[in-house]
Amino acid sequence: MIVCSCNVLTDQDVRTAVSATPDAPRTAGQVYGCLGCSPQCGRCARTIKRIMDEALTGAACCNGCPRG
């Protein structure tokens, strides 16, 4: 799913950037840089942060349920 229309970034792009290396990005701004772009309108920053949090913690897909 596209989460950033300005840069055409998908949720999978964000997950890949976050899980790529031990020194992976830890902020939305770092994710943009890692993916070779920069924030434009900023409306996606919260969504990117949420995806990052889920990817880094192996968090739930919905309301606390563990990923399968």
Side-chain angles (χ1 to χ4, degrees), residues 2-45:
I2 293 179
V3 294
C4 175
S5 298
C6 299
N7 292 299
V8 193
L9 300 177
T10 66
D11 58 323
Q12 190 59 47
D13 293 332
V14 175
R15 285 186 185 91
T16 299
V18 172
S19 64
T21 63
D23 60 339
R26 296 294 184 246
T27 67
Q30 291 172 342
V31 168
Y32 290 115
C34 182
L35 295 172
C37 56
S38 61
Q40 302 296 312
C41 73
R43 290 171 47 186
C44 59

Side-chain angles (χ1 to χ4, degrees), residues 24-67:
R26 296 294 184 246
T27 67
Q30 291 172 342
V31 168
Y32 290 115
C34 182
L35 295 172
C37 56
S38 61
Q40 302 296 312
C41 73
R43 290 171 47 186
C44 59
R46 283 189 217 168
T47 303
I48 288 175
K49 180 66 176 142
R50 182 182 49 81
I51 293 168
M52 290 172 60
D53 291 345
E54 289 174 2
L56 291 171
T57 62
C61 59
C62 56
N63 297 327
C65 67
R67 284 190 178 178

